Amino acid sequence: MANGKVISDVILRFSLFDETFTVGYLSDNDTLCALDGKLCYVLSATEWEIAIWLAEDGTNLSWSLCHRVTLPIPRRLLVFACPSTEPEKIFLSVDGCYVFKLSLSDGSLEEIINIPYDVLYDLRNGTKFKAGARLLAHYMVPFVESLMRIKPLE
């Protein structure tokens, strides 16, 4: 808490080794997700570059650099990372409008979709449109596990 306000951009970590809590801070443009069972920190160094860090197991919260990425478009808000079913590949959502597939082995980026221009929307009256320059963003769920059915079909 700072000045009577709750700070929401923090990492609260509980250590099973020594049963203590530690707090880490995020900047406004950084995001967290889970990759390969590890906590992943996406650091937006500049509007053109991100760094992907993975938390290391151990008594202290430490990070190892997984990859640096130069984006093909400038980031205005956030970059989210999301696991892929393909080994050594993850998805990057830039500003909720573009989705790229990143190869962690060679650093190559493949554009998967440009949502404002590639997604065709249907209105109830039958009209179809593309978002184009309109402000419209989508959220990418950053966890594979959240896409699995929790209870069996009846």
Side-chain angles (χ1 to χ4, degrees):
M1 204 182 269
N3 298 328
K5 296 181 181 179
V6 174
I7 301 170
S8 61
D9 295 333
V10 297
I11 302 169
L12 178 62
R13 177 181 180 260
F14 179 73
S15 171
L16 294 174
F17 292 105
D18 59 8
E19 298 182 347
T20 59
F21 286 96
T22 56
V23 176
Y25 297 93
L26 299 173
S27 73
D28 291 339
N29 298 324
D30 301 338
T31 59
L32 294 172
C33 65
L35 291 177
D36 294 329
K38 293 189 175 215
L39 181 61
C40 173
Y41 179 57
V42 180
L43 171 70
S44 295
T46 70
E47 62 184 15
W48 289 96
E49 183 178 281
I50 63 167
I52 299 172
W53 295 82
L54 294 178
E56 294 296 323
D57 295 328
T59 55
N60 296 320
L61 181 59
S62 61
W63 301 90
S64 64
L65 180 62
C66 176
H67 216 2
R68 289 192 190 279
V69 179
T70 300
L71 300 171
I73 56 165
R75 166 199 56 78
R76 290 182 295 184
L77 299 172
L78 297 172
V79 176
F80 286 97
C82 182
S84 165
T85 56
E86 293 181 61
E88 294 292 313
K89 297 203 176 178
I90 62 171
F91 293 106
L92 297 176
S93 170
V94 180
D95 295 332
C97 293
Y98 300 88
V99 178
F100 299 94
K101 190 188 300 182
L102 170 66
S103 170
L104 295 174
S105 57
D106 65 10
S108 63
L109 273 176
E110 173 190 354
E111 183 177 308
I112 301 299
I113 191 164
N114 176 338
I115 293 173
Y117 295 98
D118 294 342
V119 175
L120 186 63
Y121 295 90
D122 289 325
L123 295 177
R124 290 186 177 157
N125 65 7
T127 305
K128 297 181 184 305
F129 75 96
K130 292 185 179 182
R134 293 185 194 107
L135 291 177
L136 183 67
H138 295 269
Y139 180 72
M140 180 172 68
V141 178
F143 304 99
V144 171
E145 292 82 3
S146 65
L147 302 177
M148 295 173 39
R149 183 177 300 282
I150 294 173
K151 66 179 193 174
L153 292 173
E154 296 176 5

